[in-house]
Amino acid sequence: MSILPRSISLVYEIYSDGASRSNPGEASVGVSILKDNVEIDTIKKRIGVATNNVAEYIGLIEALEYCIKKNITEVIIYLDSLLVVQQVNLEYKVKSKKLQEYYNKALNLINEINTIKILHVKREFNKRADQLA
């Protein structure tokens, strides 16, 4: 199944995850960056006390900031948070005032990347990012 139009060559894939103990609790994010199916970089960061949804958004924001910093213009980002994926793909509204700030920041960053897809992936296919988080 082709995710991007055939005229676009896929080079970068990013897997992102956020984790929170106790929800809210001590939280962290993990991001795995792949080029041509080879992991070329990772991000792992503790983010203090946060909910799982906030951690998921911060993981996405870290991935997006990485793309902008490294001038990555074509990317697919995978998250196991269906809520975040549907919100940034404008399928769900953001009702939480707390999530709104992260949502707005993510959308602003998304708009800086030429060709981007943000897709949901089942947890078992996001193990590396989960491990980093």
Side-chain angles (χ1 to χ4, degrees):
M1 178 171 104
S2 177
I3 297 171
L4 294 175
R6 293 186 189 275
S7 61
I8 297 171
S9 61
L10 172 63
V11 178
Y12 291 93
E13 291 181 295
I14 297 178
Y15 290 82
S16 174
D17 197 17
S20 173
R21 293 180 193 215
S22 304
N23 200 27
E26 286 299 317
S28 58
V29 298
V31 180
S32 172
I33 300 99
L34 293 89
K35 182 176 181 185
D36 298 324
N37 294 319
V38 175
E39 186 175 73
I40 60 165
D41 211 348
T42 61
I43 300 167
K44 57 183 177 178
K45 183 184 284 189
R46 291 184 180 176
I47 59 170
V49 175
T51 65
N52 192 62
N53 287 336
V54 167
E56 294 282 359
Y57 261 108
I58 292 174
L60 172 60
I61 289 166
E62 290 286 333
L64 294 166
E65 288 175 339
Y66 179 92
C67 290
I68 292 163
K69 179 180 174 185
K70 298 291 186 174
N71 200 28
I72 295 171
T73 59
E74 297 179 3
V75 63
I76 297 177
I77 300 177
Y78 298 97
L79 292 89
D80 59 27
S81 171
L82 185 58
L83 176 72
V84 174
V85 170
Q86 289 178 321
Q87 287 176 341
V88 298
N89 285 321
L90 309 178
E91 296 168 15
Y92 281 8
K93 291 182 180 182
V94 180
K95 295 179 182 176
S96 165
K97 298 265 189 233
K98 180 68 175 168
L99 290 183
Q100 189 72 47
E101 67 181 276
Y102 298 103
Y103 168 79
N104 290 338
K105 184 169 186 175
L107 283 189
N108 288 334
L109 294 168
I110 288 166
N111 288 329
E112 292 187 41
I113 299 171
N114 185 38
T115 304
I116 184 169
K117 291 279 185 181
I118 299 175
L119 302 174
H120 179 255
V121 64
K122 291 183 178 181
R123 220 169 238 133
E124 61 261 27
F125 297 110
N126 204 24
K127 286 184 179 180
R128 177 64 176 145
D130 181 62
Q131 177 188 44
L132 291 166

